Amino acid sequence: MAAQIQPKPQTRTPVLLNKIEASQDVVNTAVIIPKEDGVISVSEDRTIRIWLKRDSGQYWPSVYHTMPGESSPLMTYWAIPRQQEWKILSDILSVFQEFILSEDYNKMTPAQTYQAHQGRVTVVLFVLEMEWVLSTGQDKNFTWHCSESGTQLGLYRTTAWVSGLQFDVETRHAFVGDYSGQVTILKLELDSCSLVTTFKGHTGNVTALCWDPVQRVLFSGSSDHSIIMWDIGGRKGTAIELQGHNEKVQGLCYAPHSRQLISCSSDGGIVIWNMDVTRQETPEWLDSDSCQKCEQPFFWNFKQMWDSKKIGLRQHHCRKCGQAVCGKCSAKRSTIPLMGFEFEVRVCDSCHESITDEDRAPTATFHDSKHSIVYMHYEPTTGWLLTSGADKVVKLWDMTPVVS
């Protein structure tokens, strides 16, 4: 009897549902409309468009609004305040405008204008529970306004342009990521603000922030290709590094029901991280004048080179133990997924021997969106992901095959 051939297990991947290709310029921000097969997009051509899926299966704009002023990139944030009425916040230069979107998604009415900054607005965030509008600009000012009256409640001066902003309603903490690579935590009161602490871990500017209020964990993405998970709720100062992108991280979102982090980068990569595992902090890199394995001097250690009559070597570091080692003692490479290294990194010989096949089991899956992503938005109620690219295309993905 012939042996049965077992089918190969299929790799689960996101399913491309639809593409929206009618934009004349890059779509900087976009959002999936919950409970409605639609999308709101904002483009560099200064247009706000509401796209609804028609019977033909294609998306066509039900609203096409052009913002006044000079051609400038727009940043937006929107939410559903009350009675299923959409509030859209869109900025142009130093002003951002509030619009109310009708229940049938066919009309957008100007409601309020906020004169918030002296330079172009970089991030706008609406906090429904507080009725606050948080904003940052190139003038390095972080402001918060009352959305009901439009009155400015407070202002805080940041050290650099802010490129990421999140808010925790329970504690009234604002998380501010900037171009210097640091993340600042501010405590907001009704009309005052105090500095809590500052995190420094990125070597490039912060490009995205994501806050999980349940686990009380903050994720920050950067142009240095890395993601850092800051365990704020644990109160132990734990910071876990995630290395899985080859280019600048462009977006982060978290699926709390499955404890999975979704990240994307400018090269089109989408990575799904399993955060329901016990991860390890990367070690501090140790300082030494000679290799901590073979004791050969490094090239700046003139005294030992002279005494031993040996040529100095270049210094490296083992990513697992952090020891300073020479190239000969760290010639091997390995993935260390529980430390966040999904790509092979330099390890010393002894650490390489200690890493098992089980230790190398990946904790992330990698997918190609096939366009250079500039923005992403995840809608947890449907499991859909939206990506907008430098190719002026918006793509909608069903993520349920990979985000369980």
Side-chain angles (χ1 to χ4, degrees), residues 178-183 199-207 220-228 230 241-243 247-249 285 319:
D178 63 38
Y179 270 73
S180 72
Q182 69 181 20
V183 178
F199 299 148
K200 297 181 180 179
H202 290 293
T203 57
N205 58 291
V206 175
T207 53
S220 61
S222 172
S223 60
D224 63 11
H225 311 174
S226 73
I227 300 165
I228 299 179
W230 309 91
E241 229 178 299
L242 302 176
Q243 299 281 356
E247 292 293 339
K248 175 173 65 173
V249 177
W285 283 6
R319 299 312 192 263

Side-chain angles (χ1 to χ4, degrees), residues 45-64:
D45 62 11
R46 298 183 291 114
T47 60
I48 302 174
R49 309 186 199 196
I50 317 298
W51 306 85
L52 297 180
K53 190 175 182 181
R54 309 303 180 181
D55 293 338
S56 64
Q58 298 300 312
Y59 285 81
W60 292 96
S62 61
V63 173
Y64 185 110

Side-chain angles (χ1 to χ4, degrees), residues 316-367:
H316 299 281
H317 284 91
C318 172
R319 299 312 192 263
K320 189 172 190 299
C321 67
Q323 287 192 318
V325 289
C326 67
K328 185 178 179 181
C329 294
S330 59
K332 296 183 174 63
R333 302 288 186 274
S334 176
T335 59
I336 321 174
L338 292 180
M339 279 188 170
F341 296 114
E342 294 288 338
F343 302 149
E344 289 191 342
V345 290
R346 180 186 297 273
V347 292
C348 66
D349 292 349
S350 56
C351 282
H352 189 270
E353 293 176 3
S354 70
I355 300 173
T356 65
D357 289 340
E358 185 178 352
D359 294 331
R360 293 188 179 93
T363 62
T365 59
F366 299 83
H367 313 277

Side-chain angles (χ1 to χ4, degrees), residues 228-288:
I228 299 179
M229 182 187 82
W230 309 91
D231 185 7
I232 295 172
R235 299 184 181 275
K236 296 180 181 178
T238 305
I240 304 296
E241 229 178 299
L242 302 176
Q243 299 281 356
H245 287 286
N246 292 310
E247 292 293 339
K248 175 173 65 173
V249 177
Q250 290 287 64
L252 296 170
C253 50
Y254 186 68
H257 60 284
S258 59
R259 297 197 65 183
Q260 289 171 289
L261 178 71
I262 306 171
S263 62
C264 70
S265 54
S266 57
D267 62 354
I270 299 175
V271 182
I272 316 298
W273 305 85
N274 178 13
M275 302 309 297
D276 196 21
V277 294
T278 304
R279 294 188 175 273
Q280 306 167 25
E281 278 193 287
T282 53
E284 293 284 343
W285 283 6
L286 302 178
D287 293 325
S288 178

